[in-house]
Amino acid sequence: MAKILVTGGLGYIGSHTVVELINAGYEPVIVDDLSNSQPKILDQLSKIIGFKPAFYRFDLCDEQKLIEFTKAEPDIEGIIHFAAFKAVGESVQKPLKYYHNNLTSLLNLLSVYSGKSVDFVFSSSCTVYGQPDELPVTENEPIKPAQSPYGNTKQIAEEILKDAITSGDAKNVI
């Protein structure tokens, strides 16, 4: 059974993803700092799936903790990266908080897993398209300037991932 790291795995989307991974035969391993979630979600997940999934509480911006995690869980085959601050309004009020968290966590993951054969799914956002010309927005829309620091972190993250793929630092990124 393949182990999949789900960052932000106790958040709304992350916790639902954990359930679906189990239903599909994977073994999710959750990392969450609980800044956008609550410990009771782990108990609720346990009731739904019938067991307590592996859970590590730490901030992905702490590279040393992430390195320790990789030693404790050396056989991770995939990463689904949901861990990010996501409130557009707050990002306008506290832009450095968003740049630090959203970009440092991504950079740490890419750095620590560089050169390893690990599939990587990045959770982006429609905000990368800025103010779209048409609704609904499709992936064929041109990318325009971000309307918030949050949106800008997602645009920058996509550029980082493109560069990491081109350089060979990251493989199998979706």
Side-chain angles (χ1 to χ4, degrees):
M1 183 179 324
K3 282 189 179 182
I4 308 295
L5 168 58
V6 182
T7 70
L10 295 183
Y12 181 79
I13 296 171
S15 61
H16 284 76
T17 300
V18 166
V19 172
E20 292 308 315
L21 285 169
I22 289 167
N23 290 339
Y26 293 97
E27 182 181 347
V29 178
I30 300 167
V31 168
D32 201 307
D33 69 358
L34 301 178
S35 62
N36 282 320
S37 57
Q38 299 176 9
K40 71 178 183 180
I41 302 302
L42 186 59
D43 294 331
Q44 293 170 340
L45 268 175
S46 299
K47 288 179 186 173
I48 292 168
I49 62 177
F51 66 94
K52 188 174 183 177
F55 169 66
Y56 296 82
R57 182 180 180 177
F58 68 91
D59 185 343
L60 291 167
C61 292
D62 185 337
E63 188 174 21
Q64 188 56 46
K65 291 276 190 192
L66 183 55
I67 290 168
E68 291 169 15
F69 167 80
T70 63
K71 291 175 184 173
E73 296 286 350
D75 50 353
I76 296 293
E77 295 182 34
I79 300 168
I80 303 176
H81 182 42
F82 292 124
F85 292 149
K86 62 188 183 325
V88 171
E90 183 185 52
S91 80
V92 173
Q93 296 169 347
K94 299 177 182 178
L96 295 181
K97 173 183 176 181
Y98 277 69
Y99 285 109
H100 175 74
N101 183 74
N102 294 1
L103 298 176
T104 303
S105 62
L106 173 65
L107 290 168
N108 284 348
L109 281 168
L110 290 172
S111 176
V112 169
Y113 283 96
S114 178
K116 297 178 182 171
S117 183
V118 175
D119 294 327
F120 192 98
V121 177
F122 174 69
S123 176
S124 191
S125 169
C126 186
T127 62
V128 299
Y129 297 104
Q131 188 63 38
D133 294 327
E134 293 182 23
L135 294 176
V137 176
T138 68
E139 291 182 1
N140 296 323
E141 293 294 319
I143 294 178
K144 296 182 176 180
Q147 301 294 301
S148 68
Y150 164 72
N152 201 29
T153 67
K154 291 299 187 174
Q155 284 182 340
I156 293 167
E158 287 195 7
E159 291 299 318
I160 290 169
L161 287 164
K162 285 180 200 172
D163 291 342
I165 293 166
T166 300
S167 71
D169 283 339
K171 299 174 181 136
N172 307 325
V173 177
I174 299 171

